[in-house]
């Protein structure tokens, strides 16, 4: 069975973003970019399923600018077999990404689509659910355990109150949470091998999918920063401040 | 036109976040309906009807909705949404599981985790782990928005609005509920607690969280954790506070043995008063703390529990 993994190019999670002086957007010039951490977890899960003999082919897909090829190469180095690059310089919203991924799903007919639960730039947490809905498939978001048997997937999900287990008919969309696995690091020979794996690049403009923005970015600002408070020298002083100054206890 | 709020419930009781979502929805200046989906949820429906500002409570009571599976619940919301300009929910795991599905089916670009409503089409939401706040304008006719409940004060009470049944029945054929494990606790729920005491990697192991519990007991506090503490298996996942866990904004947040990564701060920096207890006086958590105590948590916590 075939698995499709959607990966997104985002700012590296260690980088603190800056906002442009005119407040029009965040400033990503010369910022270190990387694969969204939740997508790394999705790739790892797909590769592990292949290593366990459950999956025969892992296809990575991304929607993004030319530079997003780097993230596809990372996916290939981590064990994906081939990649599809839907290239565009436009900002594509989740809805547009979901529609584009639907096209790929219709072509590729995977039994499973693995995606991150959220991207750490926009923190949207929605694209997987949207693709699943457009396909009329089952979904399991925030997965912390995935077991596949025949044409069902049993998925444990991290929900606000604890853990929930669902059984899904395949094909389905599963989005990854942090505890699903620990992504491996790509080894140098794998990075070299990845350079020879096929990447099929298609222009988004040629796909005939409506990706016109539905959301206008009006302004981007820094949040009001907290001021550093005081250091207290003892537990007694802390309790006193909380009682008599902050009046929170 | 009107606003529809998709509300949650647990063990027959309404999710307390609902009153906060209703308060947020008031800024839209339209009549507010609340819809509840589940099985045997009359009690929750009555609670919803008594939230100030609610015009009508719609109840879809059917065994098919018992576990609020996204596949069928989203279809009911699609059916209902025709009469509304706004569909809102709390940005909980359930809200985030369901709303984007409805949005895709309605061909709408949804907005997640909104912290302020500026007008009927303009909203503010944090991006990049709260490092920036974006003001965004939705161009869709139906706005589908999840609200970060902690950013809104709960609405008050009113005499009960009318409760009406929803008769559409959608059964999910593609997914099935298997089981649920909810760690039972006596403690207040993390996202609505007035005081939160959180432990990080510095706690060393799960057993040591007892030291935090002793402090939490004195304060009637909920207990949270950093991702490092959850990943290490000290405590369950539902205790994770942060960008990719729960967002909390209590009156008092006490961070113990937590360094203060940007991802952790994203989940707690809107707390009114922050206390940091850490043995590294350079730890970034001190930069957001109102009161910082440099010290060994294994000495500080027992003393704190005793002196509270
Ligand atoms: C006005 C406006 C301005 C924006 N400006 C910026 C900007 O400056 N910088 C920026 O980075 N974003 C920006 N965005 C957001 C950008 O369009 C998002 O990439 C888009 O919304 C889709 O991803 P998401 O973050 O919603 O995905 P989420 O739902 O948070 O991500 C979940 C998962 O979906 C999959 N996925 C998401 N996007 C892709 C993709 N492109 N290719 C493959 N898989 C994917 C991944 O598996 C990911 O883990 C802007 C959006 C708007 C509306
Ligand atoms: C995609 C992604 C998502 C993430 N999401 C989250 C999230 O939602 N929430 C989150 O919390 N993190 C998240 N993280 C992880 C985050 O980057 C940090 O790794 C994590 O928050 C660190 O946890 P910590 O502060 O407990 O551990 P550390 O950074 O290791 O800090 C431990 C602290 O304990 C102190 N300490 C040790 N011993 C003692 C002692 N005896 N007494 C007092 N102090 C002591 C140390 O000085 C240190 O400051 C995410 C990371 C990624 C990549």
């Amino acid at each position: 069975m075939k698995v499709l993994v959607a990966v997104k190019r985002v700012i590296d999670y260690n980088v603190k973003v800056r906002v442009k002086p005119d407040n029009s957007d965040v400033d990503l010039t010369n910022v270190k970019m990387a694969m969204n951490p939740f997508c790394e977890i999705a790739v790892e899960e797909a590769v592990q399923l292949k290593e366990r003999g459950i999956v025969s082919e892992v296809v990575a897909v991304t929607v993004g600018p030319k530079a997003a090829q780097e993230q596809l190469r990372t996916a290939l180095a981590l064990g994906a077999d081939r990649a599809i690059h839907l290239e565009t310089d436009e900002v594509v919203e989740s809805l547009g990404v979901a529609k584009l991924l639907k096209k790929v799903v219709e072509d590729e007919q995977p039994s499973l689509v693995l995606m991150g639960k959220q991207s750490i730039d926009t923190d949207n947490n929605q694209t997987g659910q949207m693709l699943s809905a457009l396909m009329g498939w089952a979904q399991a978001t925030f997965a912390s355990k995935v077991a596949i048997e025949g044409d069902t997937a049993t998925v444990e999900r991290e929900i606000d109150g604890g853990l929930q287990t669902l059984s899904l008919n395949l094909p389905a969309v599963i989005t990854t949470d942090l505890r699903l696995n620990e992504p491996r690091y790509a080894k140098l020979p794998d990075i070299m091998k990845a350079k020879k794996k096929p990447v099929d690049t298609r222009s988004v403009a040629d796909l005939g999918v409506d990706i016109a923005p539905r959301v206008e970015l009006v302004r981007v600002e820094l949040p009001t920063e907290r001021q550093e408070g005081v250091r207290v020298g003892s537990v007694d002083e802390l309790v006193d401040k909380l009682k008599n100054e902050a009046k929170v206890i | 036109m009107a606003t529809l709020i998709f509300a949650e419930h647990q063990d027959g009781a309404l999710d307390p976040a609902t009153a906060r979502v209703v308060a947020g929805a008031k800024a839209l200046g339209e009549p507010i309906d609340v819809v509840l989906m589940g099985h045997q949820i009359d009690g929750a429906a009555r609670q919803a009807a008594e939230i100030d500002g609610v015009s009508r409570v719609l109840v879809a009571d059917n065994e098919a909705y018992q576990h609020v599976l996204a596949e069928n619940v989203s279809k009911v919301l699609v059916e209902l949404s025709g009469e509304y300009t706004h569909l809102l929910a709390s940005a909980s795991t359930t809200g985030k599981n369901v709303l984007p599905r409805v949005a895709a089916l309605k061909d709408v670009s949804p907005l997640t985790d909104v912290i302020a409503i500026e007008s009927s089409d303009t909203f503010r939401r944090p991006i990049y782990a709260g490092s920036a706040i974006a003001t965004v304008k939705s161009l869709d006719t139906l706005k589908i928005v999840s609200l970060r409940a902690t950013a809104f004060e709960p609405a008050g009470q009113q005499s009960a609005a009318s409760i009406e049944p929803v008769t559409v029945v959608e059964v999910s054929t593609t997914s099935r509920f298997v089981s649920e494990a909810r760690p039972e606790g006596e403690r207040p729920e993390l996202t609505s607690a007035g005081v939160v005491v959180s432990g990080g990697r510095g706690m060393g192991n799960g057993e040591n969280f007892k030291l935090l519990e002793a402090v939490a007991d004195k304060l009637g506090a909920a207990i949270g954790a950093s991702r490092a503490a959850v990943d290490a298996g000290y405590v369950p996942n539902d205790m994770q506070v942060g960008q990719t866990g729960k967002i909390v904004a209590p009156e008092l947040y006490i961070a113990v043995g937590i360094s203060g990564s940007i991802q952790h701060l994203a989940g707690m920096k809107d707390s009114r008063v922050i206390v940091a207890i850490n043995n590294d006086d350079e730890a970034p958590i001190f930069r957001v703390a109102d009161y910082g105590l440099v010290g060994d948590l294994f000495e500080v916590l027992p003393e704190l529990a005793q002196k509270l």
Side-chain angles (χ1 to χ4, degrees):
Chain A
M1 99 180 190
K2 190 196 283 185
V3 175
L4 188 70
V5 189
V7 301
K8 185 179 175 192
R9 175 182 175 84
V10 298
I11 189 168
D12 184 273
Y13 79 96
N14 280 312
V15 176
K16 190 158 166 56
V17 299
R18 295 177 309 263
V19 168
K20 289 184 181 163
D22 67 356
N23 290 107
S24 61
D25 204 343
V26 295
D27 187 356
L28 293 181
T29 39
N30 300 322
V31 163
K32 187 175 173 215
M33 303 294 279
M35 187 190 295
N36 180 38
F38 288 97
C39 301
E40 282 179 5
I41 297 173
V43 172
E44 177 64 33
E45 194 63 17
V47 172
Q48 287 189 15
L49 286 170
K50 190 176 171 192
E51 287 167 348
R52 275 185 263 140
I54 296 166
V55 157
S56 52
E57 190 182 29
V58 177
V59 182
V61 56
T62 196
V63 178
K66 199 171 191 72
Q69 247 214 45
E70 288 167 27
Q71 281 61 50
L72 289 178
R73 291 289 167 201
T74 305
L76 294 169
L78 293 171
D81 298 294
R82 61 187 171 88
I84 299 169
H85 186 179
L86 304 184
E87 201 181 312
T88 175
D89 287 326
E90 307 282 315
V91 168
V92 187
E93 292 167 12
S94 317
L95 181 63
V97 172
K99 287 178 183 174
L100 290 166
L101 293 179
K102 177 171 184 262
K103 276 253 162 180
V104 175
V105 167
E106 284 164 352
D107 286 352
E108 294 283 338
Q109 308 265 326
S111 304
L112 179 64
V113 180
L114 282 166
M115 302 171 69
K117 81 162 178 182
Q118 91 192 51
S119 19
I120 59 157
D121 50 2
T122 49
D123 285 332
N124 274 328
N125 198 327
Q126 56 201 25
T127 311
Q129 297 86 307
M130 297 178 82
L131 172 63
S132 173
L134 292 178
M135 295 306 302
W137 287 1
Q139 75 181 35
T141 49
F142 330 136
S144 58
K145 241 181 233 158
V146 174
I148 291 179
E149 224 170 305
D151 49 14
T152 53
T154 307
V155 184
E156 183 187 84
R157 311 174 52 226
E158 295 197 0
I159 57 169
D160 285 339
L163 294 168
Q164 182 186 65
T165 305
L166 296 178
S167 166
L168 313 180
N169 295 352
L170 298 179
V173 174
I174 297 177
T175 76
T176 61
D177 214 319
L178 295 168
R179 258 70 61 180
L180 182 58
N181 59 49
E182 261 186 66
R184 68 194 71 188
Y185 293 96
K187 294 194 211 75
L188 191 60
D190 295 326
I191 295 171
M192 300 313 287
K193 257 189 265 164
K195 292 191 172 143
K196 298 202 186 82
K197 290 185 181 175
V199 176
D200 172 9
T201 303
R202 301 172 205 169
S203 165
V204 163
D206 297 341
L207 294 174
V209 172
D210 169 22
I211 56 161
R214 310 291 189 79
V215 178
E216 196 181 293
L217 188 60
V218 180
R219 238 180 115 69
V220 174
E221 293 151 295
L222 288 176
T224 34
E225 292 289 336
R226 287 187 87 97
Q227 296 297 317
E228 177 163 350
V230 296
R231 297 289 169 95
V232 292
S234 66
V235 171
D236 285 315
E237 194 188 343
L238 175 63
V239 173
D240 175 64
K241 293 269 191 203
L242 292 177
K243 275 196 179 131
N244 302 314
E245 191 176 87
K247 298 189 168 54
V248 278
I249 59 171
Chain B
M1 294 308 269
T3 298
L4 180 65
I5 296 172
F6 166 56
E8 295 166 49
H9 50 85
Q10 185 59 46
D11 302 325
L14 186 71
D15 173 10
T18 312
R20 295 175 181 269
V21 178
V22 170
K26 284 183 181 179
L28 297 167
E30 300 168 340
I32 299 167
D33 289 354
V34 172
V35 60
L36 281 162
M37 283 179 244
H39 190 43
Q40 294 165 344
I41 47 172
D42 292 354
R46 272 195 302 277
Q47 289 172 303
E50 286 172 6
I51 299 174
D52 180 49
V54 172
S55 311
R56 224 166 37 132
V57 176
L58 310 176
V59 181
D61 187 332
N62 194 294
E63 258 187 292
Y65 307 136
Q66 179 142 25
H67 301 292
V68 197
L69 296 172
E71 292 80 357
N72 57 341
V73 160
S74 58
K75 285 190 192 154
V76 180
L77 290 173
V78 167
E79 294 260 335
L80 296 176
S81 64
E83 295 175 34
Y84 298 92
T85 49
H86 295 81
L87 171 61
L88 268 47
S90 152
S92 61
T93 48
T94 302
K96 287 174 174 166
N97 196 38
V98 171
L99 283 201
R101 241 188 127 87
V102 182
L105 297 172
K106 294 290 290 185
D107 198 29
V108 165
S109 223
L111 299 172
T112 300
D113 224 6
V114 160
I115 56 167
I117 297 178
E118 308 258 284
S119 72
S120 64
D121 61 4
T122 306
F123 306 86
R124 285 161 60 84
R125 59 181 300 268
I127 52 175
Y128 295 89
S131 306
I133 308 290
T135 302
V136 289
K137 183 174 169 184
S138 165
L139 309 176
D140 287 307
T141 29
L142 172 65
K143 276 83 177 162
I144 299 186
V145 181
S146 67
L147 298 187
R148 178 179 291 187
T150 53
F152 302 88
E153 287 301 319
Q157 300 266 90
Q158 66 177 14
S159 53
S162 72
I163 300 179
E164 298 169 21
V166 173
T167 48
V168 263
V169 180
E170 298 278 358
V171 180
S172 171
T173 52
T174 51
S175 71
R176 191 170 57 79
F177 172 85
V178 178
S179 63
E180 209 157 88
R182 293 179 174 264
E184 284 302 323
E186 320 278 272
R187 294 186 188 284
E189 203 270 316
L190 197 50
T191 55
S192 52
V195 181
V196 174
V197 184
S198 285
R201 201 195 312 264
M203 297 302 296
N205 60 44
E207 186 64 19
N208 290 336
F209 266 72
K210 290 220 171 80
L211 299 169
L212 279 189
E213 286 172 20
V215 172
D217 284 343
K218 288 284 176 72
L219 295 169
I223 297 186
S226 70
R227 173 189 174 184
V230 176
D231 282 3
Y234 302 172
V235 290
N237 65 282
D238 56 299
M239 288 170 66
Q240 181 180 318
V241 171
Q243 177 190 16
T244 60
K246 286 187 180 150
I247 311 285
V248 302
E251 284 291 296
L252 173 61
Y253 187 90
I254 306 182
V256 184
I258 292 178
S259 61
S261 66
I262 164 167
Q263 292 86 7
H264 189 78
L265 298 186
M268 45 65 78
K269 69 180 176 185
D270 292 328
S271 305
R272 191 164 79 79
V273 175
I274 295 174
V275 171
I277 299 170
N278 198 304
N279 61 5
D280 170 10
D281 71 351
E282 307 264 288
I285 188 78
F286 286 121
R287 293 204 283 268
V288 299
D290 300 284
Y291 303 108
L293 179 55
V294 179
D296 183 349
L297 68 90
F298 296 103
E299 286 161 24
V300 171
L301 286 178
E303 188 184 343
L304 185 59
Q306 189 213 326
K307 293 193 167 147
L308 281 169

